[in-house]
Amino acid sequence: MPFFLGSTSCAHYTTTTTNSYMLLINMCIIFLLQERAELLDLQKRQQYAEQQEFQHVTMLKREEAFQGVNQKFAIQKRLALKHGLNQLIADIQEKGGLSPEQCESLQSEHSLNVSAVDKIIDNSLIQQKATLAEKHAKKYSIIEQQVLCFHLKQPHNKSYTQI
């Protein structure tokens, strides 16, 4: 009987071919499911990294705003202190009946005290700025490390020839 007329070898060939196609289709489905799982995992890690970066940036902005408010209040405090001291000296001169020399002496002593206070406040502001810059640098390096770790953990792209 000829091969093409329904011999047992033809049925065997058709079954083998069908099984091969089914195996290939199953392998493709498994590959696509694995790729989907890897893409979902990658998406989750990207979202987590973006969320962490957003939180760090928000925290840095909040700290910078807080430092700005602190500096603003420090300047206002300094101006109020100067005004109060000047008013106090004027009251002492008026009520104490001091001579101009004594008043001048008090004012020069007051100026020395105010300049000393100004230096202390300026040094404090410089220290606050340095502390803020250091915190910012540390947090930025942490973000860079997280991004680097994120990129190192990414699975390498697989080509379709690896099926």
Side-chain angles (χ1 to χ4, degrees):
M1 186 190 258
F3 174 74
F4 55 86
L5 293 178
S7 68
T8 56
S9 60
C10 181
H12 176 71
Y13 176 76
T14 305
T15 304
T16 305
T17 305
T18 304
N19 287 341
S20 296
Y21 284 134
M22 292 301 290
L23 180 63
L24 183 60
I25 289 171
N26 285 337
M27 288 174 59
C28 287
I29 290 172
I30 290 171
F31 173 74
L32 291 174
L33 289 174
Q34 288 174 345
E35 284 293 314
R36 182 175 182 262
E38 288 175 5
L39 286 174
L40 288 174
D41 183 52
L42 176 65
Q43 184 182 17
K44 285 179 186 177
R45 286 190 280 149
Q46 283 177 334
Q47 287 175 347
Y48 178 76
E50 289 172 359
Q51 180 184 15
Q52 292 297 314
E53 182 178 0
F54 176 76
Q55 288 176 351
H56 286 297
V57 169
T58 304
M59 189 180 343
L60 290 174
K61 286 181 182 178
R62 198 176 315 134
E63 285 181 6
E64 287 174 2
F66 182 70
Q67 289 297 328
V69 169
N70 278 348
Q71 290 175 0
K72 180 180 174 184
F73 284 125
I75 290 169
Q76 288 177 351
K77 180 180 175 183
R78 182 188 304 175
L79 291 175
L81 182 62
K82 283 183 180 181
H83 177 71
L85 288 175
N86 287 335
Q87 188 64 38
L88 183 64
I89 288 175
D91 288 346
I92 289 173
Q93 181 183 4
E94 185 180 310
K95 292 178 183 176
L98 299 175
S99 68
E101 293 84 23
Q102 291 173 327
C103 225
E104 208 171 291
S105 172
L106 274 176
Q107 286 177 342
S108 65
E109 185 179 335
H110 167 68
S111 296
L112 290 174
N113 289 337
V114 167
S115 66
V117 168
D118 286 345
K119 285 180 184 178
I120 291 170
I121 291 173
D122 289 341
N123 288 337
S124 174
L125 290 175
I126 289 170
Q127 186 178 9
Q128 287 177 0
K129 285 180 183 179
T131 303
L132 180 63
E134 183 180 327
K135 285 181 181 179
H136 178 71
K138 283 180 183 179
K139 289 177 182 179
Y140 186 75
S141 68
I142 289 171
I143 291 171
E144 283 182 333
Q145 287 175 352
Q146 287 178 346
V147 169
L148 180 63
C149 287
F150 171 75
H151 287 296
L152 290 176
K153 289 180 182 179
Q154 281 185 356
H156 297 290
N157 292 333
K158 295 180 182 178
S159 64
Y160 289 105
T161 58
Q162 293 178 342
I163 294 178

